């Protein structure tokens, strides 16, 4: 996240949350994040409230399984969009280096200028190679520009991390036979339901966690993990209602 917060003191109880908002607003001003990205973030914030704005045990398990799948993969790729580039530009580059993955810019609201700005932001944070600028391939079954991808990256990947995804691409990637990992605070989203591993955590916590965690090396059932996440949320709401 950017550190250009001028008026908000670190002691502010919502400092981290405000900092994230600021990074996204700056992302829009810099032409990195789409306007729709601000709406997407608001939805994420709401779900973050429901888990208490911390990494819960089901998310930790999913993060460890994701690390395992990525390090065991032949051609793992992290897909970067405008929200990811605004919130965790440095961390996503570091994660790619730590887990030895490729980085590819893949956008729903694709404008060539935005792709090159995101590429530039990743390079400014140490990325050596960023795919997706001149995509040669299309993900079959998708009508929109999110289908455009690079041959060396997403098209031939075996494991893809698609954080803050919008749904049908995850499904299309699965149909191509890829293992799909997502980071999505909404456990009910289409992406969350269709992914092989769904990390229900804020990306600003999930990415640093994945650089620290050891691989799980254990069975993992995504539906079971999502059920537990929803139960956690409802239990938490019940407990909070009793405190009022
Ligand atoms: O940059 P582009 O053009 O590729 O567009 C990116 C967005 C995010 C706008 C696009 O992919 C989109 O519209 O996504 P959705 O359908 O709004 O889905 C985004 C999901 O990410 C939602 O389920 C949110 O709850 C979730 N989300 C938002 N912020 C975070 C998050 N999950 C984890 N961490 C967050 N900070």
């Amino acid at each position: 996240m950017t550190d250009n917060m001028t008026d908000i003191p670190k002691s502010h109880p919502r400092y981290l949350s405000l900092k994230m908002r600021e990074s996204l607003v700056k992302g829009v001003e810099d032409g990195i994040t789409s306007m729709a990205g601000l709406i997407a973030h608001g939805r994420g914030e709401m779900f973050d409230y429901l888990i208490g704005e911390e990494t819960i045990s089901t998310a930790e398990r999913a993060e460890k399984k994701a690390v395992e799948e990525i390090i065991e993969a032949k051609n793992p790729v992290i897909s970067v969009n405008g929200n990811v580039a605004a919130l965790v530009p440095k961390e996503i580059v570091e994660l790619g280096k730590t887990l030895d993955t490729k980085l590819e810019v893949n956008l729903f609201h694709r404008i060539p200028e935005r792709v090159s700005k995101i590429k530039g932001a990743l390079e400014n944070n140490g990325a050596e190679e960023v795919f997706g600028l001149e995509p040669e391939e299309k993900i079959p079954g998708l009508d929109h520009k999110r289908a455009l991808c690079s041959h060396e990256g997403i098209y031939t990947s075996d494991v893809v991390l698609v954080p803050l995804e919008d749904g049908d691409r995850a499904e299309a990637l699965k149909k191509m036979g890829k293992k799909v990992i997502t980071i999505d605070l909404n456990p009910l989203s289409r992406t969350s339901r269709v992914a092989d591993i769904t990390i229900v955590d804020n990306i600003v916590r999930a990415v640093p966690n994945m650089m620290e965690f050891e691989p799980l090396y254990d069975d993992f059932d995504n539906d079971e993990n999502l059920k537990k996440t929803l139960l956690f949320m409802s239990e938490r709401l019940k407990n909070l209602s009793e405190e009022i």
Side-chain angles (χ1 to χ4, degrees):
M1 284 184 282
T2 52
D3 278 322
N4 60 344
M5 297 271 293
T6 41
D7 300 330
I8 300 161
K10 280 203 166 151
S11 57
H12 191 292
R14 303 291 311 152
Y15 178 78
L16 275 180
S17 170
L18 294 170
K19 207 173 153 189
M20 275 187 259
R21 286 184 175 189
E22 192 91 341
S23 299
L24 286 163
V25 169
K26 189 167 184 310
V28 172
E29 285 166 359
D30 292 347
I32 282 176
T33 308
S34 70
M35 293 287 268
L38 301 179
I39 300 168
H41 185 72
R43 182 163 41 206
E45 277 184 337
M46 190 276 287
F47 282 100
D48 211 6
Y49 258 77
L50 298 184
I51 55 169
E53 295 175 300
E54 59 183 18
T55 302
I56 63 174
S57 63
T58 48
E60 186 172 326
R61 193 169 168 81
E63 283 158 7
K64 289 178 177 168
K65 190 66 187 179
V67 171
E68 177 193 325
E69 291 292 351
I70 293 171
I71 60 174
E72 300 273 308
K74 285 196 183 77
N75 185 20
V77 177
I78 300 177
S79 178
V80 180
N81 67 20
N83 284 48
V84 175
L87 287 172
V88 285
K90 183 163 158 278
E91 296 83 351
I92 207 80
V93 172
E94 279 172 14
L95 182 68
K97 286 184 179 171
T98 308
L99 300 181
D100 201 12
T101 79
K102 289 175 183 157
L103 294 178
E104 176 158 341
V105 181
N106 180 280
L107 302 180
F108 184 66
H109 311 275
R110 188 185 174 98
I111 305 167
E113 200 191 1
R114 200 151 75 82
V115 180
S116 52
K117 280 186 177 166
I118 293 174
K119 181 174 183 275
L122 297 174
E123 284 166 351
N124 288 342
N125 282 286
E128 276 142 34
E129 194 167 18
V130 178
F131 294 87
L133 201 67
E134 285 164 4
E136 312 90 348
E137 305 279 6
K138 273 190 176 173
I139 301 168
L142 289 183
D143 295 335
H144 48 82
K145 290 188 178 166
R146 185 144 240 180
L148 299 172
C149 66
S150 80
H151 182 81
E152 256 187 277
I154 289 177
Y155 195 77
T156 53
S157 64
D158 51 349
V159 173
V160 206
L161 173 61
V162 287
L164 282 63
E165 170 75 9
D166 59 67
D168 50 353
R169 185 177 58 139
E171 223 162 338
L173 289 168
K174 284 270 295 178
K175 280 192 188 139
M176 286 177 84
K178 301 179 193 305
K179 198 150 262 183
V180 175
I181 304 169
T182 191
I183 301 171
D184 190 334
L185 278 161
N186 179 1
L188 298 168
S189 74
R190 275 190 308 147
T191 306
S192 289
R193 301 290 302 278
V194 90
D196 295 284
I197 303 171
T198 303
I199 297 167
V200 181
D201 202 359
N202 199 311
I203 191 165
V204 302
R205 295 188 298 269
V207 169
N209 283 347
M210 286 170 72
M211 282 189 267
E212 262 179 41
F213 288 168
E214 295 295 322
L216 186 69
Y217 293 129
D218 196 5
D219 291 344
F220 179 86
D221 181 331
N222 203 45
D223 286 344
E224 210 40 55
N225 213 49
L226 284 175
K227 273 185 204 166
K228 284 186 186 158
T229 305
L230 283 166
L231 282 174
F232 178 92
M233 287 177 175
S234 58
E235 274 297 310
R236 189 164 177 276
L237 283 179
K238 189 166 163 280
N239 292 340
L240 286 171
S241 76
E242 282 160 7
E243 280 170 25
I244 291 172

